[in-house]
Amino acid sequence: MANKTGNAYGLITLSPIRRGVLEEGVEFVDKVRDILQDWNFRDNSPMSQVPETYLCRYFVLDDVFTQSLPGGSAPDTIRDFWPFGPGTSLPHEDHLQSAYLVFCCSLYGGPNGNVEGYLKGMWTAMSEDIKSIWKYCYGFEQVNDANSFMVYMKKCQMKTSLFFVGANDAPLAEQLKGLYLKQELARFAIDNQGLDAATLRANFTAFMARVNPENLTTPTWTPGMYRIGQSS
Amino acid sequence: MFNIAGKAYAINVITPVRPWLAGVNRFFLWLVRTPCFRYLLKGLKTLSLIHYARWVVIDRKAFPHLSAEQPREDLRYSYMMFFSNFNGSWDQYIDSFTFTIPKGLDLIWKWNVRYSKSVPLTPFHRYIHYNQIETLHYYSAYPLASSNDVKSAQAVRDALVAFPAQFKNDADFLQQYNALLRGLQHDLGDMYPGTIISMAAYQADRRRRWHAGTLDKQSGQARR
């Protein structure tokens, strides 16, 4: 299954946005855009509350692009010199009938690629935010709980053809704990240079008790933190 | 434009594919996943600046249709979408692609209408830029970390978990400790917010100051 590589899962959904205008004269598609941009000014993204999210993005696909630039591939060259058939050698002009809300997410899905569980968790973590943007999409009126949201998103899901994992596919808690330990051990090594063995051993024992490498819950980095020192 | 979350940059590119070549495109995307042809993606691993990347080929009649009220799409082309999460600037990323995996790129994109080829560089820049869509909201669970940080963090944690708890004496501990640091010398390092390379990074920095409680003092303005 191309949606997953190892334990990492690549989710992408396209949700068609309804045509319409709000009372204040703002089109639905622009309202969706406004809400998403407002998320950038919060303390942190609502996605930081969704378990197992590595990285994700939202954007609006208003339309597709007409290709007017010169091309270099064989099909283009053949088409340019093809003497038969109607029309011009320039590419056709395509237009979408609806704008689409695109949600593209890299997440930890586990060995079975449990995207259903992820989507239900997403609803639990941020249902009000979900409703605030997806309510402008076709078909969302049938969504009223975690299960119906999962079913809706599965209808919107596009199959990934190639999913490349450049980092790793560990559970998010392991990744965050590792980052916390990396930062702390680097500092420890710098702060404890040149000490005698007995002092260093005592300090390191205290360090290991404090950072507790096997405990993924605490202390660790919090999802989405922008500042060293926000560890939980 | 909010293409940046800390050290990660989100790129979205959508390009048309002739419908009769969409299957071929998909075939080659499948091919590079197979053991025999996986070497074509080796350059991507070598780049080591990518968190996660993906290609999605959508048939012209496969766009979601969820309601009778929704007008049906009537497209002449199928479309390939490319998404990547990487560290560094746009230029660095696109240039790295061109210099490390030009053949792999061409193999994947050559089925797309008016693809410029990855070499020479300027037309390829123009092609990607022309077909790129800006992100509205981008989230990273670890904005302070690069892809390499995430990988090395795993090595640090594994080493600490495996580190013995008992030692014969202080000298034995020192030997083990030095071996630990020697083994992790490529994996350690402080992580700080990345350099500002766009207005979106400015927003990230603004948010960081907000978290630190210094934003109001500096700007003298209300939050927002």
Side-chain angles (χ1 to χ4, degrees), chain A residues 26-44:
Chain A
V26 178
E27 286 197 34
F28 290 169
V29 64
D30 289 331
K31 185 67 181 172
V32 170
R33 203 175 268 116
D34 281 352
I35 295 169
L36 288 171
Q37 285 184 328
D38 273 349
W39 287 6
N40 297 311
F41 295 97
R42 293 189 185 180
D43 283 5
N44 215 330

Side-chain angles (χ1 to χ4, degrees), chain A residues 11 40-41 43 45 56-58 66-67 72 76 94 97 100 105 161-162 164 166 168 175 182-183 224, chain B residues 11-12 18 33 51-55 73 76 79 114-115 130-131 136-137 139 141 187 191 210-211:
Chain A
L11 171 67
N40 297 311
F41 295 97
D43 283 5
S45 167
C56 75
R57 73 192 69 178
Y58 291 84
T66 301
Q67 304 301 304
D76 285 329
D94 255 354
Q97 299 299 308
Y100 289 84
C105 182
S161 302
L162 174 62
F164 173 79
N168 66 33
Q175 289 185 337
K182 175 183 157 87
Q183 185 82 9
Chain B
I11 191 169
N12 318 303
R18 292 172 179 86
R33 297 199 328 257
H51 288 274
Y52 305 92
R54 77 187 74 177
W55 287 263
E73 299 296 348
R76 299 289 292 267
Y79 284 85
R114 298 276 172 156
Y115 172 59
Y130 181 79
N131 292 295
L136 291 169
H137 180 71
Y139 165 75
D187 300 309
M191 285 167 282
W210 181 355
H211 280 262

Side-chain angles (χ1 to χ4, degrees), chain A residues 82-97:
Chain A
W82 192 249
F84 309 110
T88 164
S89 60
L90 282 172
H92 300 290
E93 192 175 326
D94 255 354
H95 289 291
L96 293 173
Q97 299 299 308

Side-chain angles (χ1 to χ4, degrees), chain B residues 164-186:
Chain B
Q166 303 294 326
F167 307 96
K168 292 178 204 158
N169 49 42
D170 292 344
D172 180 38
F173 163 77
L174 191 60
Q175 192 177 12
Q176 299 274 4
Y177 176 76
N178 287 339
L180 172 76
L181 293 192
R182 202 163 47 244
L184 291 174
Q185 59 186 311
H186 297 298

